Amino acid sequence: MRQARRLTVLTGAGVSAESGVPTFREARTGLWAKYRPEDLATPEAFQRNPKLVWEWYALRRQRVSVVAPNAGHRALVEFEGRVAVFTLITQNVDGLHQRAGSRRVLELHGNLTRTKCSREDRLVESWPETAEIPPRCPRCGGWLRPDVVWFGEALPGVTLAAATQASRACDLFISVGTSTVVQPAASLPYEALRHGAMVVEVNPNGTPLSGEANYRLPGLSGEVLPALLGAAFGPSAGP
Ligand code: OAD
């Protein structure tokens, strides 16, 4: 950590778990244990039942608005100030990294708190409140939808290119709180390995990456990341 000039961190739902945001794939508590992604997180699901999809995301947005970033998010803010070149890549759509104070976040899967027009693919800041769900785009009348990436949709190209570049160019890559199974995000630690970086995984459970990573720190991100920060930069480095 102390020697790293370029640090890239990839986060997943596990980083927000200690804030009370459910993950996706954990057996009892994960969202995909309770709901079917094909009913809620695909363009086809939205075409079939836009009201259901809008309301599910509205509920998640409301839940995220009442939770707070945790010590793991805060430790990542500190890393940003202490490493020469730091890149934070997230698969999370909850905006908690930004709320903790991270300035530059590469959001691979979008952000729940933003809304876009499903027809024009443009961000929409405000719209007239009517009884209709989902609301309509004030410009073209198309349905509004959350600005998140659904299964079967392409990731934002510029963001993915920047994430890939930062994974190839770093000397230390930390993968935190992700099951490392959803592509293309899951390939980023392997890009780092292939280009000679040291790869560290922070996760209480094993993942497909566990056997490949140089180090595995089995624990909660809200405990391991502050400990890593303190070990690298001294006990006063706490968030
Ligand atoms: P998953 O739910 O697949 O994985 C969460 C990971 O976090 C698991 O490996 C857990 O072991 C780990 N975990 C749980 N609590 C943790 C903690 N306190 N500290 C550290 N790790 C912890 O979530 P993602 O990998 O983020 O995509 O899922 C990737 C994508 O799949 C999501 O972005 C979402 C989902 O479908 C879209 O919606 C497009």
Side-chain angles (χ1 to χ4, degrees):
M1 279 293 303
R2 269 186 226 119
Q3 286 163 8
R5 303 287 305 150
R6 291 170 174 269
L7 168 61
T8 296
V9 176
L10 170 68
T11 66
V15 166
S16 295
E18 288 155 86
S19 293
V21 181
T23 61
F24 293 93
R25 291 180 182 75
E26 285 179 280
R28 280 175 304 106
T29 54
L31 288 176
W32 298 153
K34 295 188 190 135
Y35 306 98
R36 284 157 31 103
E38 52 275 43
D39 291 339
L40 296 162
T42 66
E44 295 76 23
F46 186 68
Q47 285 304 321
R48 264 197 316 271
N49 197 340
K51 183 168 185 286
L52 176 79
V53 173
W54 176 270
E55 285 180 335
W56 189 66
Y57 279 93
L59 184 67
R60 283 179 60 198
R61 192 180 310 129
Q62 191 273 331
R63 288 194 179 150
V64 160
S65 73
V66 297
V67 304
N70 63 55
H73 296 108
R74 289 193 294 274
L76 291 170
V77 179
E78 292 290 313
F79 285 144
E80 190 169 5
R82 286 171 190 270
V83 182
V85 182
F86 177 79
T87 306
L88 178 57
I89 307 166
T90 190
Q91 298 164 86
N92 297 346
V93 296
D94 56 28
L96 286 176
H97 286 304
Q98 291 90 336
R99 279 173 56 198
S102 286
R103 281 193 306 266
R104 186 163 162 265
V105 185
L106 298 177
E107 293 179 319
L108 292 177
H109 293 164
N111 191 314
L112 262 186
T113 62
R114 290 192 302 262
T115 298
K116 66 179 183 179
C117 171
S118 63
R119 195 183 288 164
E120 298 174 304
D121 202 36
R122 279 168 15 100
L123 288 182
V124 175
E125 300 285 338
S126 61
W127 52 90
E129 285 298 338
T130 64
E132 208 174 3
I133 300 174
R136 299 260 176 194
C137 170
R139 247 172 64 123
C140 76
W143 281 322
L144 296 182
R145 56 164 282 184
D147 182 26
V148 297
V149 176
W150 284 329
F151 289 100
E153 292 185 320
L155 273 63
V158 174
T159 308
L160 179 60
T164 305
Q165 207 276 336
S167 304
R168 289 180 180 160
C170 65
D171 37 43
L172 177 62
F173 184 104
I174 308 181
S175 175
V176 198
T178 172
S179 56
T180 338
V181 294
V182 174
Q183 293 294 354
S187 68
L188 295 174
Y190 296 92
E191 288 291 333
L193 278 173
R194 236 191 320 278
H195 287 78
M198 175 180 288
V199 172
V200 178
E201 179 176 59
V202 179
N203 196 316
N205 302 304
T207 76
L209 178 66
S210 304
E212 310 288 325
N214 301 97
Y215 292 96
R216 215 173 96 62
L217 301 175
L220 305 179
S221 57
E223 293 170 7
V224 174
L225 293 178
L228 205 52
L229 185 71
F233 302 112
S236 64

